[in-house]
Amino acid sequence: MPPFTAPLAVAGSVAVSRHDALGRGDDSLHLEQVDTQRSLRKLGVFNELLRRVVRHHVAAARVTLCVRETNPARLAYEAMGFTCARQEEGLCTYVLDSDRLRDLRAGVGSCLAAAAPHGIHFSDPALGGARALDQDAMRTACG
């Protein structure tokens, strides 16, 4: 197990479940909570976190998340390829289909994937803790 180093910053986090938000009965992942540090938004942090989640869960046929119609983050999700599959009571259930998942797993469009060996470290607490994040390297890679 790698030694633990206290992070300089947490750029973002994603909480994932197996909730079948669309009721299709297949293997899907549902993003329960997504957070990106405000100063690091639009740098590809969420895209890279999502890429790593879907690479780990190779059987997932789709990824879903629910967003209020008034939430400006929905524009970012749409730009990533999420589409609104169901709308009710001001809430939209977005879905990322298998074509986009394939691209994510392959690292298409991920500037952070290339930069990660140069000071940007992603971690999964279940796999041994966190390591430091170099914000300057992230801005250089994706800014």
Side-chain angles (χ1 to χ4, degrees):
M1 180 177 352
F4 178 80
T5 303
L8 300 174
V10 175
S13 62
V14 177
V16 182
S17 75
R18 292 280 187 187
H19 173 65
D20 183 6
L22 297 175
R24 295 184 179 167
D26 59 4
D27 194 0
S28 61
L29 297 174
H30 185 71
L31 305 180
E32 298 287 347
Q33 181 69 39
V34 176
D35 293 304
T36 302
Q37 185 180 16
R38 184 177 303 276
S39 65
L40 298 175
R41 290 182 183 159
K42 299 184 180 180
L43 293 178
V45 172
F46 173 64
N47 189 64
E48 181 61 16
L49 288 171
L50 182 58
R51 184 182 77 82
R52 289 171 184 249
V53 166
V54 300
R55 285 183 76 186
H56 180 75
H57 297 279
V58 295
R62 69 184 44 81
V63 175
T64 59
L65 66 113
C66 296
V67 182
R68 295 228 169 267
E69 292 173 348
T70 57
N71 186 339
R74 66 184 170 69
L75 300 174
Y77 300 134
E78 290 169 4
M80 287 183 63
F82 281 90
T83 56
C84 185
R86 182 174 59 211
Q87 240 174 326
E88 53 187 76
E89 298 180 19
L91 193 65
C92 183
T93 301
Y94 279 90
V95 63
L96 196 63
D97 68 17
S98 59
D99 289 338
R100 181 62 180 126
L101 286 178
R102 185 175 49 253
D103 290 346
L104 268 174
R105 287 182 177 119
V108 174
S110 178
C111 60
L112 290 180
H118 306 290
I120 299 170
H121 302 283
F122 292 85
S123 67
D124 179 341
L127 298 177
R131 292 179 23 192
L133 168 71
D134 182 340
Q135 292 184 34
D136 292 331
M138 182 182 298
R139 290 193 179 283
T140 300
C142 301

